[in-house]
Amino acid sequence: MTRIASSERTAAVLVGLEGLGLVVLVGWQLVALVSGDTDSVSSAIALLVLTAIGAAAVVAFAVAIARDASWGRSGGVVTQLLILAVALGALTGQYAHPLIALALAAPAVLGLILLIAGSRAAARRRGDLPTN
């Protein structure tokens, strides 16, 4: 097994925590669905299924990052960009919440930095980048 850089390890933990957050959201959506706290059952089920698929994907990205698979880093970058898009939405509009936007954006920016550093470390291990 390849020894990964600390940036990759930290990125894997961060993406894993984001995946865990989505798993918690799936649980919350399931409780709302079962308790009848939804306006449209079919929409609630669709959102629940899509969130569960997203949670599984993000957790898989975290595992792949920890195992030094490039597709995990790629998926992690896409995840961070999607989180930044949600943070931008939380920052703007009639119901803007700047603190929620900051709480979403800060770990996503950190995740991007870690994933890019991890990609560079992986490239150095493969010999694609100079070591200096």
Side-chain angles (χ1 to χ4, degrees):
M1 182 173 200
T2 305
R3 191 164 180 357
I4 63 172
S6 62
S7 59
E8 292 169 292
R9 234 183 336 276
T10 307
V13 169
L14 181 62
V15 173
L17 289 172
E18 292 167 348
L20 181 61
L22 285 172
V23 169
V24 170
L25 182 58
V26 167
W28 180 35
Q29 291 172 338
L30 187 59
V31 168
L33 180 64
V34 170
S35 67
D37 189 21
T38 59
D39 291 333
S40 168
V41 173
S42 59
S43 291
I45 291 171
L47 183 60
L48 177 68
V49 169
L50 289 173
T51 306
I53 291 168
V58 174
V59 169
F61 296 151
V63 171
I65 293 166
R67 292 184 176 175
D68 194 31
S70 66
W71 65 268
R73 288 187 296 272
S74 299
V77 167
V78 171
T79 299
Q80 304 317 301
L81 293 175
L82 290 171
I83 293 170
L84 285 172
V86 171
L88 180 61
L91 186 62
T92 60
Q94 184 176 1
Y95 302 105
H97 294 283
L99 291 178
I100 290 175
L102 180 63
L104 290 169
V109 169
L110 176 62
L112 274 174
I113 292 167
L114 290 169
L115 288 163
I116 291 168
S119 292
R120 292 184 55 79
R124 275 197 286 302
R125 279 193 303 274
R126 288 189 314 264
D128 294 344
L129 286 179
T131 56
N132 58 347

